Amino acid sequence: MTKQLRLASAAVTDIGRRRERNQDNVTSHVPTDQAVLDEKGALFVVCDGMGGHAAGEVASDLGVHVIDKMYFSSSGLDVITSIAQAVKSANDEIYAAARATVEYGGMGTTCVALVIAGGRGYIVNIGDSRAYILRDGEMRQVTQDHSWVAEQVRGGVLSEEQARVHAHRNVITRSLGTQPNITADLFVETLHDGDRILLCSDGLHGYVERESIFQELKNQDEPDKAVSDLIAMANANGGPDNITAVVVHVLEAPDVTEPIPLPPNATAAIEEGETQPLPVPASVASAAPAASAIATTTKAPSVAKAKARRRSGAGVAVLRTLEVAALLLIAFAGWYVGLGPLAAQRQADQRTQRALTQAIAATHTAPSQSPADALRTLSSARQALIATFGDAALEASVRAQAQTFLDAQFASAVQTALQRYDASATITRLPLTDATTYSLTCTSPGVATPITVSSLTGIVALSAPAGKAPILPGAQLLYALSQGALYEIAIPLDATGAPQSGVPACQQVPLAGIISVTSLSASGPTADALVTTAKGYGVVRITPAAGPAGALPGVKLQQLFTPSAAVGTPDQILGAGSTVYLSLTGASSGVARYTIPAKGAPPAPKVIPVPQAVTSMQLAGGSVFLSLADGSLGQLDATAALQPVSVLAPLPVSDADPSTYTADAAVPTPPTSGTPGATGGAAFGAGSMLVTDPLNPGQLLLADVGAHRIVRLAANTSGPGAGLSGQYVYDDSTTVFKMIALGGSGSTLQVYAWNGSGLIAIPIDESAA
């Protein structure tokens, strides 16, 4: 008896426990008409949308519904052509919707689709939604993630465990709808009776261990129960993302006797059991070869035994694209030889066509290069092409063709390279739209009119000891310096610990016997200050004192010691409990370390030579770190000797978000040498400032003024040195964080900085730091 296709399946999507919207979508279409089932089979699709507001939800909804509609409306076509055209249509509709509506700009979606037809399973994927097959008690992952961390794992740079917790695990390198043309992966498998297949979004596979997924698929005989259990597991692990699962049990599969039906335009056989690019639909392959229709493809990930074949396939794709461009060039040349009005126009058009060919090749080469090299390649190609536009003899249609390519495929290739660069440099964008700016109007003892503070020369944030109540409930207490005066400021916080809008309380602190405050340093609930008095310099400890409810606390001042004038002029202060460090200026440049006894004056300080002026000092991981005037870093070792600290912190190539790049602008490229952050230069710009993270005392944040970034450094736990832990880049040329202070509440880090006219506060979620 001929076997017929019989399936049992279930599909569920869940919002999870932390998201306000469900940007996942799913469809499960098993035709009840036997004739339709025999011809087209059954279709299952999971899409995980990306984009702000409702954009991701729109993208994933279009993805599942357009694929479903187009696949089953393509009567008479083979399965591969039908699914390829359906995926292409979904990409076109999402891309068009994103360009037509501002709120949807840049939206896209991952997609994994399964067609079961004629005893075979056809799996298509774009992004990091996955498909697994369980057979004979063993489960294997069929799809290969199109994500930055997956590429690093396949390249041997990261382990699977490192990838699971990496800060950039959500960076997708391919998605549906973000580019005018895409390349999906195809996997074809002959199915057996008893096979079980799982499709899921990363809300499941990213938060449930593989072994737990395997055991559930293996032991649960009811698809409905399997999907509900899997979603419950993800929610039990925090449910931080939307969760979607489709489970299909192959109860009976027809015997396969015929080869895989090939698309009409196929140039090579479709191989079972291997990942390969989904063929371009015939309707697209036969279209006129205008630049706007040339697909920007990325080399598909490969299994070990097929590396050579797919490397060759990627080369063939590039050569074919170059052949198309060459044919265009020949066609133009022939037309002008016979009919062209002017040799100058012919030559101008040919130069543009040659530059266009090189630019097309650059977009194909870029994905296989390092992000920095990819940007340099693309930059060179754009410059060469743009340079031809200045020729007055260039025909308008040729220029328009080249411009169309720049605006579509080229701009998209640059955006992808920029995203890859940011991921490799551990860059996170710090949106200043989330910042709150405060003007400081402060009361002053004996002055009836409040004082408007117009400049700051120092700022520190106080924090309560671990396990203790906040110094000011619902507020962050800051001390700030302006023109030698000390001010006490309370910034209002919301329930999450983030700064909120409002008028901060501010008062000038009376300092009897003190002429001015030169430098401040905070350590938990106290601050140390370098001050000047009628007798010279002094070191004072400042502790908040209890005050009336709802009011700013007063302060208690404790005179610690008078610095020794014999060692040099003090400049910066770092208080660390019973130890105080003072940087020295002038001919005796260095750092003086004072140990404060329980009673009496401190002994003579230990002076540590430093090659140049110190711009800031901070304590992290039990060590003192220094930033020096040239942007280099140092660390005082166990013997109090200065050791250089080398940190590779690649400079951001652009302040702007990569998705905003357009071909109207030059391609941002990293520096080559002699520049902060590049080979041969100091790690950071001159005047960089260090601050200890109150939520992670083993980490430092460094304000690198000229590069518009705040760099996170982690002190080594096994010896001297520090490593790059992350970078925050802000896009605002009018804002320069010359000085920063850090507060913390819960998992929210508060960055406070003076922007030249007001105090700016920016929240950073450190739950994953």
Tab-separated table of all heavy atoms in Angstrom, residues 474-526:
chain	number	residue	atom	x	y	z
A	474	GLY	N	15.393	57.529	47.282
A	474	GLY	CA	14.771	58.100	46.096
A	474	GLY	C	15.597	59.149	45.399
A	474	GLY	O	15.086	59.865	44.530
A	475	ALA	N	16.883	59.279	45.767
A	475	ALA	CA	17.719	60.309	45.143
A	475	ALA	C	19.169	59.853	45.144
A	475	ALA	O	19.582	59.002	45.930
A	475	ALA	CB	17.583	61.650	45.867
A	476	GLN	N	19.952	60.415	44.238
A	476	GLN	CA	21.388	60.204	44.188
A	476	GLN	C	22.081	61.459	44.702
A	476	GLN	O	21.850	62.569	44.215
A	476	GLN	CB	21.845	59.910	42.767
A	476	GLN	CG	23.352	59.848	42.591
A	476	GLN	CD	23.993	58.720	43.378
A	476	GLN	OE1	23.637	57.562	43.202
A	476	GLN	NE2	24.931	59.052	44.265
A	477	LEU	N	22.955	61.288	45.705
A	477	LEU	CA	23.655	62.417	46.291
A	477	LEU	C	24.980	62.630	45.561
A	477	LEU	O	25.784	61.704	45.400
A	477	LEU	CB	23.913	62.171	47.778
A	477	LEU	CG	24.581	63.311	48.557
A	477	LEU	CD1	23.703	64.556	48.552
A	477	LEU	CD2	24.889	62.877	49.991
A	478	LEU	N	25.200	63.855	45.091
A	478	LEU	CA	26.421	64.237	44.393
A	478	LEU	C	27.092	65.379	45.139
A	478	LEU	O	26.427	66.210	45.756
A	478	LEU	CB	26.122	64.708	42.960
A	478	LEU	CG	25.334	63.794	42.028
A	478	LEU	CD1	25.059	64.531	40.716
A	478	LEU	CD2	26.075	62.504	41.760
A	479	TYR	N	28.430	65.431	45.041
A	479	TYR	CA	29.184	66.613	45.424
A	479	TYR	C	29.836	67.149	44.161
A	479	TYR	O	30.377	66.386	43.347
A	479	TYR	CB	30.260	66.286	46.459
A	479	TYR	CG	29.727	66.020	47.854
A	479	TYR	CD1	30.299	65.038	48.655
A	479	TYR	CD2	28.666	66.750	48.367
A	479	TYR	CE1	29.820	64.783	49.929
A	479	TYR	CE2	28.174	66.508	49.636
A	479	TYR	CZ	28.749	65.517	50.420
A	479	TYR	OH	28.259	65.279	51.680
A	480	ALA	N	29.807	68.468	43.990
A	480	ALA	CA	30.362	69.077	42.790
A	480	ALA	C	31.167	70.311	43.156
A	480	ALA	O	30.894	70.980	44.170
A	480	ALA	CB	29.245	69.456	41.815
A	481	LEU	N	32.153	70.629	42.310
A	481	LEU	CA	32.991	71.805	42.497
A	481	LEU	C	32.701	72.833	41.415
A	481	LEU	O	32.580	72.485	40.240
A	481	LEU	CB	34.478	71.438	42.430
A	481	LEU	CG	35.006	70.425	43.446
A	481	LEU	CD1	36.502	70.230	43.240
A	481	LEU	CD2	34.706	70.883	44.856
A	482	SER	N	32.594	74.099	41.826
A	482	SER	CA	32.446	75.189	40.875
A	482	SER	C	33.157	76.402	41.437
A	482	SER	O	32.788	76.902	42.518
A	482	SER	CB	30.970	75.514	40.623
A	482	SER	OG	30.843	76.607	39.729
A	483	GLN	N	34.187	76.840	40.726
A	483	GLN	CA	34.967	78.011	41.122
A	483	GLN	C	35.463	77.897	42.567
A	483	GLN	O	35.442	78.858	43.333
A	483	GLN	CB	34.141	79.286	40.927
A	483	GLN	CG	33.732	79.518	39.483
A	483	GLN	CD	32.894	80.763	39.284
A	483	GLN	OE1	32.345	81.307	40.230
A	483	GLN	NE2	32.806	81.222	38.047
A	484	GLY	N	35.883	76.681	42.943
A	484	GLY	CA	36.445	76.446	44.264
A	484	GLY	C	35.429	76.207	45.351
A	484	GLY	O	35.788	75.848	46.481
A	485	ALA	N	34.118	76.398	45.058
A	485	ALA	CA	33.068	76.167	46.048
A	485	ALA	C	32.561	74.729	45.932
A	485	ALA	O	32.582	74.133	44.861
A	485	ALA	CB	31.928	77.154	45.848
A	486	LEU	N	32.073	74.179	47.054
A	486	LEU	CA	31.548	72.823	47.097
A	486	LEU	C	30.028	72.860	47.157
A	486	LEU	O	29.456	73.593	47.978
A	486	LEU	CB	32.099	72.083	48.323
A	486	LEU	CG	31.611	70.650	48.531
A	486	LEU	CD1	32.132	69.744	47.415
A	486	LEU	CD2	32.076	70.113	49.889
A	487	TYR	N	29.383	72.070	46.288
A	487	TYR	CA	27.922	72.019	46.245
A	487	TYR	C	27.453	70.595	46.501
A	487	TYR	O	28.087	69.621	46.082
A	487	TYR	CB	27.398	72.495	44.890
A	487	TYR	CG	27.609	73.973	44.653
A	487	TYR	CD1	28.789	74.437	44.087
A	487	TYR	CD2	26.639	74.899	45.019
A	487	TYR	CE1	29.006	75.792	43.885
A	487	TYR	CE2	26.839	76.259	44.821
A	487	TYR	CZ	28.026	76.700	44.254
A	487	TYR	OH	28.226	78.037	44.059
A	488	GLU	N	26.310	70.501	47.164
A	488	GLU	CA	25.664	69.217	47.445
A	488	GLU	C	24.394	69.153	46.606
A	488	GLU	O	23.577	70.077	46.648
A	488	GLU	CB	25.338	69.146	48.947
A	488	GLU	CG	24.994	67.772	49.450
A	488	GLU	CD	24.817	67.767	50.965
A	488	GLU	OE1	24.337	68.791	51.512
A	488	GLU	OE2	25.155	66.768	51.596
A	489	ILE	N	24.233	68.069	45.824
A	489	ILE	CA	23.131	67.976	44.852
A	489	ILE	C	22.412	66.651	45.040
A	489	ILE	O	23.053	65.610	45.230
A	489	ILE	CB	23.666	68.067	43.399
A	489	ILE	CG1	24.508	69.331	43.214
A	489	ILE	CG2	22.534	68.004	42.388
A	489	ILE	CD1	25.347	69.317	41.951
A	490	ALA	N	21.091	66.671	44.966
A	490	ALA	CA	20.282	65.452	45.035
A	490	ALA	C	19.499	65.304	43.730
A	490	ALA	O	18.647	66.130	43.416
A	490	ALA	CB	19.334	65.494	46.224
A	491	ILE	N	19.815	64.247	42.960
A	491	ILE	CA	19.133	63.969	41.689
A	491	ILE	C	17.992	62.996	41.949
A	491	ILE	O	18.208	61.901	42.501
A	491	ILE	CB	20.110	63.358	40.668
A	491	ILE	CG1	21.286	64.306	40.412
A	491	ILE	CG2	19.383	63.021	39.374
A	491	ILE	CD1	20.907	65.600	39.752
A	492	PRO	N	16.750	63.328	41.576
A	492	PRO	CA	15.626	62.408	41.819
A	492	PRO	C	15.739	61.157	40.955
A	492	PRO	O	16.133	61.221	39.792
A	492	PRO	CB	14.395	63.241	41.434
A	492	PRO	CG	14.913	64.273	40.472
A	492	PRO	CD	16.321	64.569	40.902
A	493	LEU	N	15.411	59.990	41.528
A	493	LEU	CA	15.447	58.711	40.819
A	493	LEU	C	14.049	58.109	40.783
A	493	LEU	O	13.247	58.309	41.696
A	493	LEU	CB	16.397	57.729	41.519
A	493	LEU	CG	17.842	58.180	41.754
A	493	LEU	CD1	18.611	57.095	42.505
A	493	LEU	CD2	18.533	58.517	40.444
A	494	ASP	N	13.778	57.355	39.716
A	494	ASP	CA	12.494	56.651	39.662
A	494	ASP	C	12.625	55.300	40.368
A	494	ASP	O	13.666	54.975	40.958
A	494	ASP	CB	11.999	56.499	38.220
A	494	ASP	CG	12.919	55.640	37.370
A	494	ASP	OD1	13.732	54.871	37.925
A	494	ASP	OD2	12.828	55.729	36.126
A	495	ALA	N	11.581	54.489	40.282
A	495	ALA	CA	11.556	53.223	41.020
A	495	ALA	C	12.614	52.243	40.543
A	495	ALA	O	13.037	51.354	41.289
A	495	ALA	CB	10.164	52.583	40.900
A	496	THR	N	13.090	52.394	39.299
A	496	THR	CA	14.115	51.489	38.768
A	496	THR	C	15.524	51.957	39.095
A	496	THR	O	16.496	51.269	38.793
A	496	THR	CB	13.988	51.347	37.242
A	496	THR	OG1	14.355	52.597	36.617
A	496	THR	CG2	12.579	50.967	36.846
A	497	GLY	N	15.641	53.143	39.670
A	497	GLY	CA	16.961	53.695	39.951
A	497	GLY	C	17.485	54.596	38.865
A	497	GLY	O	18.623	55.066	38.942
A	498	ALA	N	16.681	54.854	37.827
A	498	ALA	CA	17.117	55.732	36.740
A	498	ALA	C	16.811	57.182	37.086
A	498	ALA	O	15.790	57.478	37.727
A	498	ALA	CB	16.417	55.347	35.441
A	499	PRO	N	17.676	58.133	36.675
A	499	PRO	CA	17.392	59.552	36.922
A	499	PRO	C	16.091	59.970	36.247
A	499	PRO	O	15.796	59.545	35.120
A	499	PRO	CB	18.597	60.255	36.284
A	499	PRO	CG	19.671	59.225	36.223
A	499	PRO	CD	18.969	57.920	36.005
A	500	GLN	N	15.304	60.778	36.918
A	500	GLN	CA	14.064	61.249	36.331
A	500	GLN	C	14.059	62.772	36.299
A	500	GLN	O	14.818	63.442	37.000
A	500	GLN	CB	12.855	60.721	37.104
A	500	GLN	CG	12.771	61.141	38.553
A	500	GLN	CD	11.531	60.575	39.236
A	500	GLN	OE1	10.560	60.196	38.584
A	500	GLN	NE2	11.554	60.514	40.558
A	501	SER	N	13.180	63.290	35.456
A	501	SER	CA	13.112	64.737	35.300
A	501	SER	C	12.614	65.381	36.594
A	501	SER	O	11.949	64.759	37.413
A	501	SER	CB	12.187	65.099	34.133
A	501	SER	OG	10.896	64.570	34.354
A	502	GLY	N	12.932	66.624	36.736
A	502	GLY	CA	12.559	67.356	37.935
A	502	GLY	C	13.659	68.347	38.281
A	502	GLY	O	14.696	68.415	37.626
A	503	VAL	N	13.445	69.086	39.308
A	503	VAL	CA	14.432	70.083	39.738
A	503	VAL	C	15.250	69.465	40.864
A	503	VAL	O	14.705	69.131	41.920
A	503	VAL	CB	13.746	71.369	40.217
A	503	VAL	CG1	14.798	72.368	40.700
A	503	VAL	CG2	12.890	71.962	39.111
A	504	PRO	N	16.560	69.285	40.663
A	504	PRO	CA	17.365	68.702	41.736
A	504	PRO	C	17.553	69.688	42.884
A	504	PRO	O	17.667	70.899	42.673
A	504	PRO	CB	18.697	68.403	41.047
A	504	PRO	CG	18.765	69.370	39.919
A	504	PRO	CD	17.355	69.586	39.467
A	505	ALA	N	17.558	69.164	44.091
A	505	ALA	CA	17.880	70.006	45.239
A	505	ALA	C	19.378	70.298	45.212
A	505	ALA	O	20.182	69.426	44.898
A	505	ALA	CB	17.499	69.297	46.529
A	506	CYS	N	19.767	71.518	45.512
A	506	CYS	CA	21.180	71.906	45.440
A	506	CYS	C	21.466	72.989	46.468
A	506	CYS	O	20.699	73.947	46.594
A	506	CYS	CB	21.528	72.388	44.037
A	506	CYS	SG	23.249	72.939	43.845
A	507	GLN	N	22.556	72.820	47.196
A	507	GLN	CA	22.954	73.848	48.149
A	507	GLN	C	24.475	73.922	48.225
A	507	GLN	O	25.175	72.927	48.040
A	507	GLN	CB	22.391	73.551	49.544
A	507	GLN	CG	22.951	72.293	50.196
A	507	GLN	CD	22.311	72.005	51.550
A	507	GLN	OE1	21.280	72.567	51.897
A	507	GLN	NE2	22.932	71.139	52.324
A	508	GLN	N	24.971	75.128	48.425
A	508	GLN	CA	26.405	75.299	48.636
A	508	GLN	C	26.745	74.881	50.058
A	508	GLN	O	26.019	75.184	51.006
A	508	GLN	CB	26.822	76.747	48.397
A	508	GLN	CG	28.320	76.963	48.507
A	508	GLN	CD	28.734	78.399	48.227
A	508	GLN	OE1	27.900	79.208	47.795
A	508	GLN	NE2	29.990	78.730	48.468
A	509	VAL	N	27.851	74.140	50.186
A	509	VAL	CA	28.251	73.630	51.497
A	509	VAL	C	29.169	74.655	52.169
A	509	VAL	O	30.202	75.041	51.589
A	509	VAL	CB	28.982	72.286	51.353
A	509	VAL	CG1	29.457	71.799	52.717
A	509	VAL	CG2	28.072	71.264	50.689
A	510	PRO	N	28.821	75.132	53.361
A	510	PRO	CA	29.714	76.069	54.067
A	510	PRO	C	30.971	75.346	54.533
A	510	PRO	O	30.911	74.251	55.083
A	510	PRO	CB	28.865	76.538	55.250
A	510	PRO	CG	27.865	75.453	55.461
A	510	PRO	CD	27.582	74.858	54.117
A	511	LEU	N	32.121	75.934	54.295
A	511	LEU	CA	33.399	75.311	54.625
A	511	LEU	C	34.221	76.294	55.453
A	511	LEU	O	35.000	77.099	54.916
A	511	LEU	CB	34.149	74.917	53.351
A	511	LEU	CG	33.432	73.922	52.422
A	511	LEU	CD1	34.187	73.784	51.118
A	511	LEU	CD2	33.282	72.575	53.109
A	512	ALA	N	34.042	76.230	56.734
A	512	ALA	CA	34.739	77.163	57.631
A	512	ALA	C	36.241	76.936	57.555
A	512	ALA	O	36.724	75.805	57.652
A	512	ALA	CB	34.251	76.966	59.064
A	513	GLY	N	36.971	78.019	57.364
A	513	GLY	CA	38.425	77.957	57.346
A	513	GLY	C	39.021	77.458	56.049
A	513	GLY	O	40.236	77.322	55.945
A	514	ILE	N	38.176	77.150	55.070
A	514	ILE	CA	38.661	76.634	53.785
A	514	ILE	C	38.451	77.699	52.719
A	514	ILE	O	37.344	78.238	52.559
A	514	ILE	CB	37.938	75.328	53.408
A	514	ILE	CG1	38.308	74.224	54.395
A	514	ILE	CG2	38.281	74.909	51.982
A	514	ILE	CD1	37.543	72.933	54.193
A	515	ILE	N	39.522	78.006	51.986
A	515	ILE	CA	39.417	79.021	50.940
A	515	ILE	C	38.763	78.431	49.692
A	515	ILE	O	37.840	79.028	49.125
A	515	ILE	CB	40.820	79.578	50.601
A	515	ILE	CG1	41.417	80.268	51.825
A	515	ILE	CG2	40.744	80.527	49.415
A	515	ILE	CD1	42.857	80.705	51.639
A	516	SER	N	39.222	77.292	49.253
A	516	SER	CA	38.648	76.667	48.056
A	516	SER	C	38.916	75.172	48.078
A	516	SER	O	39.808	74.687	48.794
A	516	SER	CB	39.241	77.284	46.778
A	516	SER	OG	40.613	76.950	46.663
A	517	VAL	N	38.116	74.455	47.291
A	517	VAL	CA	38.292	73.009	47.117
A	517	VAL	C	38.902	72.794	45.740
A	517	VAL	O	38.385	73.284	44.730
A	517	VAL	CB	36.955	72.261	47.247
A	517	VAL	CG1	37.177	70.761	47.115
A	517	VAL	CG2	36.282	72.585	48.572
A	518	THR	N	40.001	72.040	45.689
A	518	THR	CA	40.741	71.843	44.446
A	518	THR	C	40.340	70.562	43.720
A	518	THR	O	40.206	70.529	42.502
A	518	THR	CB	42.252	71.810	44.738
A	518	THR	OG1	42.625	73.040	45.364
A	518	THR	CG2	43.063	71.624	43.465
A	519	SER	N	40.155	69.486	44.479
A	519	SER	CA	39.876	68.179	43.863
A	519	SER	C	39.040	67.344	44.811
A	519	SER	O	39.143	67.481	46.034
A	519	SER	CB	41.189	67.452	43.529
A	519	SER	OG	40.960	66.160	43.024
A	520	LEU	N	38.198	66.453	44.228
A	520	LEU	CA	37.311	65.594	45.008
A	520	LEU	C	37.532	64.129	44.639
A	520	LEU	O	37.873	63.802	43.503
A	520	LEU	CB	35.845	65.933	44.726
A	520	LEU	CG	35.203	67.133	45.411
A	520	LEU	CD1	33.793	67.324	44.862
A	520	LEU	CD2	35.166	66.949	46.920
A	521	SER	N	37.274	63.261	45.611
A	521	SER	CA	37.292	61.818	45.374
A	521	SER	C	36.259	61.185	46.279
A	521	SER	O	36.184	61.517	47.467
A	521	SER	CB	38.681	61.245	45.676
A	521	SER	OG	38.648	59.832	45.715
A	522	ALA	N	35.428	60.280	45.714
A	522	ALA	CA	34.381	59.624	46.507
A	522	ALA	C	34.757	58.175	46.770
A	522	ALA	O	35.333	57.494	45.917
A	522	ALA	CB	33.041	59.690	45.793
A	523	SER	N	34.419	57.698	47.965
A	523	SER	CA	34.613	56.296	48.320
A	523	SER	C	33.412	55.871	49.145
A	523	SER	O	33.355	56.119	50.357
A	523	SER	CB	35.917	56.110	49.103
A	523	SER	OG	36.083	54.761	49.482
A	524	GLY	N	32.418	55.254	48.490
A	524	GLY	CA	31.208	54.849	49.201
A	524	GLY	C	30.458	56.041	49.740
A	524	GLY	O	30.135	56.976	49.011
A	525	PRO	N	30.216	56.072	51.060
A	525	PRO	CA	29.379	57.137	51.623
A	525	PRO	C	30.150	58.395	52.017
A	525	PRO	O	29.563	59.305	52.604
A	525	PRO	CB	28.796	56.464	52.873
A	525	PRO	CG	29.873	55.513	53.307
A	525	PRO	CD	30.522	55.022	52.049
A	526	THR	N	31.444	58.452	51.721
A	526	THR	CA	32.222	59.641	52.075
A	526	THR	C	32.977	60.154	50.860
A	526	THR	O	33.125	59.456	49.854
A	526	THR	CB	33.241	59.329	53.194
A	526	THR	OG1	34.195	58.374	52.708
A	526	THR	CG2	32.561	58.796	54.430
